[in-house]
Amino acid sequence: MKNKLEIFKKAQALLDKSEVQELLAYCDRLEDELVDLKFEKTNNKELILLDMIREVFKGCNALEKEQLEHERFGYDAPSYAEAISNLKVFILGMCKDHKIYL
């Protein structure tokens, strides 16, 4: 199964189109709903950890995208300190909610 971004590998310009961005956001929401459904069915900590890793990966991709936009359009640089702090809060919150001890 291809990663949704691999589908646009040969047509990177399409990623800038609002319709494509909307479609990718919709895919993300569907993936989240699928993970939530799996949690409800199994209540498995492995799935919770897997979801946490996916969310971290999404956050890393978002930072990379923001950095590319900064370089391309001259926007303000991303705040990595804030991103790291948000990531830690997310991980600790997930661990507390699901009784996962690091």
Side-chain angles (χ1 to χ4, degrees):
M1 178 177 202
K2 283 188 178 182
N3 176 316
K4 58 187 171 281
L5 293 178
E6 289 176 0
I7 295 170
F8 295 98
K9 188 175 184 179
K10 293 181 181 176
Q12 291 286 326
L14 292 175
L15 289 173
D16 293 333
K17 301 239 181 236
S18 64
E19 294 88 354
V20 174
Q21 291 294 323
E22 187 177 334
L23 177 63
L24 292 175
Y26 179 68
C27 288
D28 286 339
R29 285 192 305 275
L30 288 177
E31 288 173 357
D32 290 342
E33 288 177 18
L34 180 61
V35 169
D36 290 342
L37 180 62
K38 286 180 183 177
F39 288 160
E40 290 173 12
K41 285 186 172 184
T42 63
N43 199 17
N44 186 338
K45 288 186 180 186
E46 287 179 18
L47 290 176
I48 295 166
L49 290 172
L50 182 59
D51 182 54
M52 206 179 337
I53 291 168
R54 283 185 181 136
E55 289 300 319
V56 169
F57 192 74
K58 281 187 208 176
C60 292
N61 285 340
L63 273 176
E64 287 175 342
K65 181 181 176 185
E66 191 174 335
Q67 180 65 37
L68 288 174
E69 288 176 356
H70 166 69
E71 293 168 3
R72 184 174 176 191
F73 300 110
Y75 295 154
D76 293 333
S79 171
Y80 294 110
E82 183 181 346
I84 291 168
S85 176
N86 290 339
L87 179 60
K88 289 168 78 176
V89 167
F90 170 75
I91 290 172
L92 291 174
M94 288 287 287
C95 289
K96 181 180 176 186
D97 292 346
H98 299 287
K99 296 181 175 107
I100 299 170
Y101 304 99
L102 299 178

